[in-house]
Amino acid sequence: MEFEVSAEAKDKRLNRRVAVTVVILSVAMGLGNIKDGNIVQAMDQAQARSVDLWNEYQATRTKLRMTEIAGLQLAAMRGTAASPRLATDAARYRSEAPRLAAAAQAQGARYDALNVHDDQFDASEASLATAISLCAVAALVESDALLVAAWAFAAFGLFLSACGFAGWGFHPDVLSTLLG
């Protein structure tokens, strides 16, 4: 017994595969977009905190220098050592400055770590969008080969999303460099 697959049945199978692929990829893109938005908010907070801490560091260093100069001026005018109050203030500023610098650097490092995951989600979104576009063309021209190409882009995009959600360090450097 020979079975012939009619063109209509073949089209329906292809269209079903395209439809399922598009639904899965759309859901993945939506979830990735939410996570990416949260990462961008955290990046903004880390950057703002870093800037605030560096400003506080600079202010502390400026206060230290002003305190030292005031101590030198008073000592020169009186011909004696600087006041104990100025020495206490200077010691406090000296101890605060390294802590502030370390905290600012930590916020910068947090920003950089979050940026890796932001890049992952950005590249994932681009790959998944390309896959969805290829699915549309595959359905239009009735091409299984284009659907397979779409699945290849989808696999890469889903891998990048998994990296972003799992916190893995894989970074699409080539894409970031090319598109950045």
Side-chain angles (χ1 to χ4, degrees), residues 86 150 161:
L86 288 176
S161 285

Side-chain angles (χ1 to χ4, degrees), residues 45-59 100 104:
Q45 290 172 348
Q47 187 174 37
R49 185 70 181 129
S50 176
V51 168
D52 288 347
L53 286 165
W54 280 121
N55 287 338
E56 193 174 346
Y57 169 81
Q58 284 301 112
L100 290 169

Side-chain angles (χ1 to χ4, degrees), residues 1 25 30 41-43 47 56 67-68 72 88 90 105 115 126-128 131 133 138 141 147 150 154 165 172 175:
M1 227 183 232
L25 299 181
Q41 285 178 343
M43 287 172 65
Q47 187 174 37
E56 193 174 346
T67 302
E68 290 171 341
L72 291 173
T88 302
Q105 289 169 344
N115 191 46
S127 295
L128 296 177
S133 298
V141 299
L147 184 57
F165 278 110
L175 286 176

Side-chain angles (χ1 to χ4, degrees), residues 16-161:
R16 280 190 204 113
R17 289 185 292 183
V18 166
V20 169
T21 301
V22 168
V23 166
I24 291 169
L25 299 181
S26 296
V27 169
M29 280 180 70
L31 294 173
N33 195 343
I34 291 169
K35 181 68 173 176
D36 188 37
N38 292 337
I39 288 172
V40 168
Q41 285 178 343
M43 287 172 65
D44 288 344
Q45 290 172 348
Q47 187 174 37
R49 185 70 181 129
S50 176
V51 168
D52 288 347
L53 286 165
W54 280 121
N55 287 338
E56 193 174 346
Y57 169 81
Q58 284 301 112
T60 300
R61 296 289 297 168
T62 300
K63 289 186 278 186
L64 171 61
R65 188 67 184 138
M66 290 175 65
T67 302
E68 290 171 341
I69 291 170
L72 291 173
Q73 288 175 338
L74 283 174
M77 286 180 2
R78 291 184 188 161
T80 62
S83 77
R85 167 88 197 272
L86 288 176
T88 302
D89 287 347
R92 182 175 43 126
Y93 297 143
R94 275 190 202 92
S95 69
E96 283 179 5
R99 179 190 56 80
L100 290 169
Q105 289 169 344
Q107 288 299 315
R110 176 169 156 66
Y111 178 90
D112 292 340
L114 290 168
N115 191 46
V116 168
H117 302 301
D118 179 51
D119 288 347
Q120 288 169 333
F121 282 111
D122 290 345
S124 172
E125 185 175 349
S127 295
L128 296 177
T130 301
I132 290 172
S133 298
L134 284 171
C135 283
V137 175
L140 184 65
V141 299
E142 300 174 2
S143 171
D144 286 325
L146 280 176
L147 184 57
V148 170
W151 288 342
F153 275 96
F156 183 63
L158 291 172
F159 169 72
L160 289 172
S161 285

